[in-house]
Amino acid sequence: MRRNKPWIGEKNTVYKKVTRGYLRIGLVYPSTYQVSISSLAVNLLYYLLNSFEEVYAERIVFESSPKSIETGSHMREFDALLFSAHFELVYPDILKMIREAGIPLYARDRGNEYPILVVGGPAVSANPEPLADFFDVIVVGEAEPVIPKLVESLLEYHDDKRKLLEELFGEEGFYIPVYGKHVVRKAWVRDLDDAFHPIEEIQNIDVEPIYGRGYMVEVSRGCFRRCRFCLEGHVMLPKRDRSFPKVKRLVEEGLEANSLKRVIFYSLSFFDHRDADRILEYVVEDLGVEASIPSLRPDTLNDYRLELIVRAGQKTLTIAPETLSPRIARVLGKGFTYDYIRELSVKALSMGLKIKYYFIIGVPGEKREDIEAIPRLVNQVVKETGIRASESIRLSVNPLIPKPHTPLQTIGLEDPGILREKMKLIEKGLPKPVAVMDSYPPKWAVIQAAIALADRSISKTLAEWSMLGGGLGAWRRAVKRTNYSLDYVFRSRTPPYPWSHIVVSP
Ligand code: SF4
């Protein structure tokens, strides 16, 4: 890979001859080039924006910043910069990219000589306040319904920020922080069949995307299960399916346009799609290509579906039991019996699949025996299958981070010391090297929760943190220097919340 310019081997890049009257948009993804090409959201925004004749959207990633991949244009040369924020911990990187481009960080310090700064993404939509001082426009909800209005308004008023903000204020999905807190209803796609989906996606002969090469296709959006901790399960309602004929057409055209032989299905819970079996059968049996399903619920699986997954060429079954305790399952609103997960795991391993589990710890009411059940399950599964190969089982153990708009938004984060003890207890009990564990560091969980649950008063701390270079040590120093109290992270909370003005119900 050519490290300093990893995009050199890229295909499907959009090039346009920019003339006067064109709207130039910089699509900024605060991560590496490899992560950016693995993101369906980036691909969708890139091709959607470029589908407008009078718009030229170019990408900016870590390695290219502050210049664009396509034409090497500086971030300051664009009429607008659209930031895609996939989760809270990228906020300091966003601020760093803005500052290093020589653009004033605070929206109030930017006049008409600077690009309009827009940000969106699931975490920002749920609680825009932590970024509210820095951005001119925050998109609440889904991109497709807001892009036409944004483009139309930018074409007219990109040189006049005041008029632009007046134009967008009050429209569904647009939060204009300079006007103070105001009620905003999220924008959402009513019918996925009518929504834009890219056919061409960025391919690169030198750089393999995170989930491998494959045409990414979104089969459904939202999830009706409403697990009590799950942000996506609450802010992305209602659950919508793309119809079988539409998925079929996208897959056929997408595989051909990108010269690929593998499909990656995007959804929150694949087998909750009303035609999931038909879609998978079509891809595996009729087209004879591979398929990957990164996300599925354990209780939607059966023998037939497991076989289909194996025939699709998938090597790992990723399941999220979250807990094995019926009591904790009631708190989380999600849970499966110990025996169900054990039987499913034994079956999957016997069929040659590896397993990746996701578990949540730090749930109110949790007892030692609830934690101990996790290594007990893994040991029992290994014993029953006699599996020996290293890393046949991976566990991802994550602290429960209370998220806005979920029923568990009221609780405090568990003390990081206790979380660490619980993680150690799990790790100590695992049969290594057959089973290995990745844990989400409790100190990072504190930072993520601090941002997710914050109001606008966190701005100074975020700016300082980014200035100090991000990272744990820098966070500690930034909190101290700005005299920012983290008490709210660990306490229970009552309404109004910092995000109470954001309406996420459809
Ligand atoms: S955890 Fe999974 S099943 Fe539950 S609401 Fe979220 S996406 Fe749906």
Side-chain angles (χ1 to χ4, degrees):
M1 187 211 299
R2 285 156 273 204
R3 282 187 193 283
N4 50 348
K5 286 190 176 176
W7 49 87
I8 281 176
E10 190 172 274
K11 284 197 310 194
N12 297 340
T13 318
V14 178
Y15 291 108
K16 290 188 180 183
K17 196 164 165 6
V18 179
T19 49
R20 269 179 77 84
Y22 252 84
L23 178 68
R24 299 194 61 196
I25 297 181
L27 181 57
V28 190
Y29 194 67
S31 192
T32 61
Y33 173 77
Q34 189 199 16
V35 178
S36 81
I37 62 167
S38 317
S39 159
L40 180 55
V42 171
N43 276 281
L44 189 143
L45 281 167
Y46 182 58
Y47 292 104
L48 172 58
L49 287 165
N50 279 313
S51 70
F52 292 84
E53 211 176 304
E54 58 282 69
V55 173
Y56 187 24
E58 304 177 43
R59 288 157 300 148
I60 295 132
V61 293
F62 275 174
E63 297 96 324
S64 74
S65 183
K67 296 191 172 167
S68 68
I69 289 175
E70 286 74 4
T71 62
S73 301
H74 195 283
M75 276 163 71
R76 280 201 310 269
E77 292 174 50
F78 290 92
D79 298 313
L81 294 171
L82 252 70
F83 288 76
S84 172
H86 38 294
F87 82 131
E88 295 89 347
L89 294 180
V90 300
Y91 295 3
D93 295 324
I94 290 180
L95 302 185
K96 188 167 172 239
M97 289 173 92
I98 298 173
R99 215 188 35 247
E100 289 183 354
I103 298 172
L105 212 47
Y106 288 89
R108 60 173 178 267
D109 298 332
R110 293 192 301 267
N112 290 336
E113 68 276 30
Y114 291 105
I116 305 290
L117 264 55
V118 184
V119 67
V124 189
S125 285
N127 180 13
E129 290 310 309
L131 290 180
D133 278 339
F134 308 112
F135 281 87
D136 304 306
V137 179
I138 298 187
V139 173
V140 172
E142 297 169 5
E144 299 94 326
V146 300
I147 292 293
K149 177 71 191 170
L150 184 64
V151 165
E152 181 196 311
S153 309
L154 280 168
L155 276 166
E156 181 108 11
Y157 300 118
H158 64 86
D159 282 340
D160 188 339
K161 184 155 103 171
R162 197 179 52 82
K163 282 211 175 116
L164 175 87
L165 301 186
E166 271 171 24
E167 178 72 16
L168 295 176
F169 179 67
E171 294 281 332
E172 190 176 274
F174 289 104
Y175 183 46
I176 313 296
V178 74
Y179 292 150
K181 277 191 177 183
H182 50 274
V183 174
V184 180
R185 299 194 75 83
K186 75 164 180 189
W188 58 285
V189 168
R190 269 49 178 188
D191 185 345
L192 270 192
D193 277 5
D194 297 336
F196 178 87
H197 192 294
I199 300 291
E200 288 193 328
E201 292 174 356
I202 295 291
Q203 307 299 329
N204 190 311
I205 47 167
D206 295 326
V207 184
E208 180 154 324
I210 309 276
Y211 301 112
R213 295 188 194 284
Y215 175 62
M216 298 180 275
V217 59
E218 188 187 29
V219 292
S220 59
R221 196 176 287 183
C223 174
F224 62 87
R225 306 274 187 169
R226 293 182 192 243
C227 303
R228 300 181 72 235
F229 60 91
C230 177
L231 179 78
E232 290 83 356
H234 287 86
V235 302
M236 290 171 72
L237 286 166
K239 182 231 180 202
R240 289 142 288 166
D241 287 343
R242 212 167 231 125
S243 70
F244 174 70
K246 185 77 193 211
V247 173
K248 183 169 172 276
R249 192 174 66 73
L250 284 171
V251 167
E252 284 164 6
E253 292 179 13
L255 288 175
E256 190 179 337
N258 297 283
S259 311
L260 291 166
K261 294 209 167 323
R262 180 166 171 261
V263 184
I264 305 174
F265 289 116
Y266 278 69
S267 64
L268 288 171
S269 169
F270 179 79
F271 286 110
D272 278 331
H273 187 291
R274 60 176 183 265
D275 283 322
D277 288 349
R278 213 167 142 206
I279 292 172
L280 205 50
E281 283 160 2
Y282 170 71
V283 168
V284 176
E285 287 164 9
D286 298 0
L287 295 181
V289 297
E290 293 196 341
S292 169
I293 306 164
S295 186
L296 40 81
R297 257 179 81 98
D299 57 349
T300 58
L301 284 169
N302 54 34
D303 289 359
Y304 175 66
R305 288 174 172 177
L306 271 177
E307 268 168 38
L308 261 181
I309 289 171
V310 173
R311 277 170 46 210
Q314 190 155 321
K315 306 280 181 292
T316 302
L317 182 71
T318 302
I319 48 174
E322 320 294 5
T323 181
L324 298 166
S325 150
R327 192 167 25 78
I328 298 302
R330 276 195 294 279
V331 182
L332 293 176
K334 179 180 184 186
F336 316 95
T337 65
Y338 179 95
D339 282 328
Y340 181 76
I341 297 298
R342 181 183 56 75
E343 279 167 27
L344 176 65
S345 307
V346 168
K347 216 177 283 171
L349 285 166
S350 312
M351 293 169 88
L353 286 162
K354 292 183 174 190
I355 294 185
K356 172 138 192 196
Y357 296 117
Y358 281 87
F359 287 105
I360 291 179
I361 60 166
V363 183
E366 198 169 66
K367 294 187 180 154
R368 190 180 168 97
E369 71 220 40
D370 303 325
I371 299 294
E372 285 172 339
I374 298 173
R376 185 155 55 84
L377 168 90
V378 178
N379 279 294
Q380 199 170 343
V381 166
V382 169
K383 196 169 150 210
E384 277 185 45
T385 53
I387 202 111
R388 281 235 177 80
S390 289
E391 303 187 14
S392 296
I393 300 175
R394 295 194 83 89
L395 290 86
S396 174
V397 178
N398 304 287
L400 172 61
I401 297 177
K403 288 296 176 78
H405 306 285
T406 67
L408 293 181
Q409 65 190 339
T410 54
I411 65 162
L413 182 78
E414 182 156 73
D415 178 84
I418 299 175
L419 288 168
R420 234 182 332 269
E421 287 308 312
K422 290 179 176 174
M423 285 174 175
K424 272 194 211 152
L425 192 63
I426 298 171
E427 181 147 41
K428 216 172 70 199
L430 291 178
K432 284 175 270 265
V434 178
V436 291
M437 169 172 150
D438 313 309
S439 50
Y440 189 78
K443 282 183 181 161
W444 280 108
V446 174
I447 305 178
Q448 195 182 348
I451 301 173
L453 304 166
D455 59 24
R456 245 180 244 204
S457 66
I458 200 173
S459 307
K460 259 166 68 186
T461 312
L462 287 181
E464 188 72 20
W465 183 31
S466 135
M467 187 96 89
L468 293 169
L472 281 174
W475 169 258
R476 255 191 317 269
R477 287 202 300 284
V479 167
K480 208 164 157 203
R481 276 194 199 171
T482 54
N483 217 1
Y484 187 68
S485 168
L486 293 172
D487 287 353
Y488 68 97
V489 175
F490 304 100
R491 271 201 317 253
S492 58
R493 56 196 71 78
T494 50
Y497 307 112
W499 50 89
S500 287
H501 54 305
I502 304 299
V503 183
V504 295
S505 53

